[in-house]
Amino acid sequence: MSKHVLVTGGAGYIGSHTVVALVEKGYTPIIVDDFRNATEVALNGLTEILGFQPTIHRVDVCQIDEMRAIFNEYSFHGIIHFAAYKAVGESVEKPLQYYQNNLVGLLNMLSLMEEFKVLNFVFSSSCTVYGEPKETKEVHEETPKSLPESPYGYTKWIGEQIILDFFKSAPDFHLMNLRYFNPVGAHPTAKIGEFPLGKPNNLLPFVTQTAIGKQACLTVFGDDYPTRDGSCVRDYIHVMDLAEAHVQAIQFLEKQEKGCLEAVNIGTGTGTTVLEVIHVFEKVSNQQLNYQIGPRRAGDVIEIYANATKSQELLNWKAKRSIEDAVRDAWNWELALNELK
Ligand code: WQD
């Protein structure tokens, strides 16, 4: 009997790629998504890749009664909780939406997990919980957390605190906070990928949309930072590597004899600047990108990348794909989207 894994936000960017990785490892993903940040394009792409339409419930995770009905329908082996808002810049403009949606959704998941004794839980956390790293820019899981630089970062920081307090009250659960760095790229078939509704907040979709003509010009938010070329440094992780990390997290948790709570960085361990991403794109796509230098963006951290040791030691996982692979897959996805018109 295949193990059912609840994937909230499973029609979204990281969620849909994780659904593919789960099926590849013999799990049965059950998607819950209210499509506020996803479209039928993801569902159609998933169906083409999988050869069947995955089970999906169009429900808002903040509606606990509707979520309880789903927990009554399945005997979940585990939960991967993606459903949340995730744009740093946008969260500075809309803090109340971010706190309400991201925290109520998490609280509902933990309450239902306890009510239905679903032991294995993976939380979609973020490197933003580290804030602006004080000493080294390479952060490991025990790096002292500075306060986050954005409301989005706070929803993950508080989220991890909620999970810690829950674990102290219910120590038999197997819990893992995966702290993503910057997810980028798309499935190599170009049938699923990042699908920003409206103007993209994140760098790489803005690059590819500028290149395809959907956006007029990319603005680099500052080139006067104390970094090797003046632009911010991030750890860009291919979304397929990230998806596979979630499956290995579930495989780790289901093996545990007793309760546990672990935080794990999911990054490549390498930092790349904004300008370097642009240059990789120009090389991969063999075309010039139209960009300008603009003012810094509120909430931005200057430089951060992962110490990726623990993910390898604990989960036997490490990133296999390069920034070139991610940029190429992101560009192929943009080109495929353009054909859909
Ligand atoms: C990256 C860099 C911008 C757009 C992301 C996710 C968040 C979390 C952490 C997982 C910054 C610059 C961007 C543009 C630019 N990941 N930029 N022009 O802010 O690091 O946060 O990673 O939880 O969910 O949002 O990502 O792609 O917005 O920015 O110059 O048009 O690119 O200033 O330096 P960020 P981002």
Side-chain angles (χ1 to χ4, degrees):
M1 172 73 176
S2 176
K3 297 171 180 171
H4 286 83
V5 177
L6 169 62
V7 184
T8 71
Y13 175 38
I14 304 169
S16 57
H17 290 80
T18 302
V19 163
V20 173
L22 283 166
V23 170
E24 282 172 355
K25 290 294 181 190
Y27 292 94
T28 300
I30 304 296
I31 297 172
V32 164
D33 202 308
D34 64 2
F35 281 77
R36 70 177 70 185
N37 203 17
T39 70
E40 299 303 326
V41 170
L43 215 45
N44 299 338
L46 272 176
T47 303
E48 285 187 57
I49 293 169
L50 299 175
F52 63 91
Q53 178 161 325
T55 304
I56 190 155
H57 295 266
R58 293 167 190 265
V59 168
D60 173 358
V61 293
C62 292
Q63 302 305 319
I64 194 160
D65 293 339
E66 294 180 44
M67 286 305 304
R68 183 174 286 109
I70 293 171
F71 274 73
N72 272 315
E73 191 175 339
Y74 302 90
S75 167
F76 287 124
H77 173 71
I79 300 170
I80 304 178
H81 180 50
F82 289 108
Y85 293 136
K86 58 99 182 170
V88 170
E90 184 187 52
S91 76
V92 175
E93 297 153 21
K94 303 174 182 172
L96 299 185
Q97 280 184 35
Y98 272 68
Y99 283 118
Q100 200 277 336
N101 182 58
N102 292 9
L103 297 183
V104 171
L106 172 62
L107 289 165
N108 286 351
M109 284 304 105
L110 294 174
S111 308
L112 291 167
M113 211 169 89
E114 188 167 38
E115 186 179 332
F116 288 85
K117 306 250 178 306
V118 179
L119 288 183
N120 305 306
F121 180 77
V122 178
F123 177 56
S124 165
S125 189
S126 164
C127 62
T128 46
V129 301
Y130 295 109
E132 180 74 60
K134 289 285 172 285
E135 300 85 39
T136 166
K137 305 303 179 188
E138 179 192 64
V139 292
H140 57 77
E141 289 79 358
E142 304 315 316
T143 297
K145 293 183 198 161
S146 312
L147 290 178
E149 302 276 322
S150 67
Y152 164 76
Y154 265 108
T155 69
K156 298 300 183 180
W157 194 91
I158 297 168
E160 289 200 9
Q161 186 59 45
I162 290 169
I163 291 167
L164 172 61
D165 291 336
F166 169 70
F167 179 62
K168 288 175 182 172
S169 73
D172 293 338
F173 284 84
H174 309 163
L175 311 168
M176 185 164 290
N177 298 321
L178 291 187
R179 293 174 180 165
Y180 313 156
F181 284 71
N182 286 54
V184 286
H187 192 269
T189 61
K191 295 190 183 306
I192 55 173
E194 192 163 11
F195 197 100
L197 301 181
K199 198 171 179 184
N201 288 294
N202 293 125
L203 177 63
L204 194 49
F206 210 110
V207 166
T208 57
Q209 286 198 11
T210 301
I212 204 114
K214 284 183 186 164
Q215 304 297 332
C217 176
L218 168 78
T219 299
V220 174
F221 296 140
D223 69 344
D224 57 351
Y225 285 104
T227 64
R228 53 182 176 266
D229 64 14
S231 63
C232 291
V233 177
R234 295 288 184 275
D235 184 333
Y236 294 97
I237 172 90
H238 195 295
V239 66
M240 283 311 297
D241 279 330
L242 182 55
E244 289 160 8
H246 285 79
V247 180
Q248 285 166 249
I250 287 284
Q251 291 172 327
F252 169 84
L253 292 175
E254 66 190 8
K255 283 190 297 213
Q256 300 314 301
E257 299 290 310
K258 58 186 181 53
C260 64
L261 169 57
E262 296 284 356
V264 183
N265 285 343
I266 301 297
T268 65
T270 302
T272 304
T273 73
V274 175
L275 291 169
E276 288 166 348
V277 170
I278 292 171
H279 300 147
V280 167
F281 176 79
E282 292 181 327
K283 188 178 91 178
V284 160
S285 64
N286 194 27
Q287 66 180 65
Q288 290 292 309
L289 186 76
N290 183 23
Y291 71 93
Q292 64 185 358
I293 305 296
R296 295 180 175 188
R297 178 176 71 176
D300 268 340
V301 159
I302 299 168
E303 180 170 1
I304 187 167
Y305 55 92
N307 175 309
T309 310
K310 185 174 179 181
S311 56
Q312 189 155 349
E313 289 171 353
L314 195 74
L315 305 180
N316 186 31
W317 174 91
K318 73 188 295 248
K320 294 182 290 201
R321 299 161 178 93
S322 67
I323 184 75
E324 286 80 9
D325 295 328
V327 169
R328 181 177 304 106
D329 290 338
W331 181 228
N332 286 337
W333 163 244
E334 192 68 63
L335 291 167
L337 272 183
N338 210 39
E339 295 304 309
L340 285 181
K341 295 281 170 274

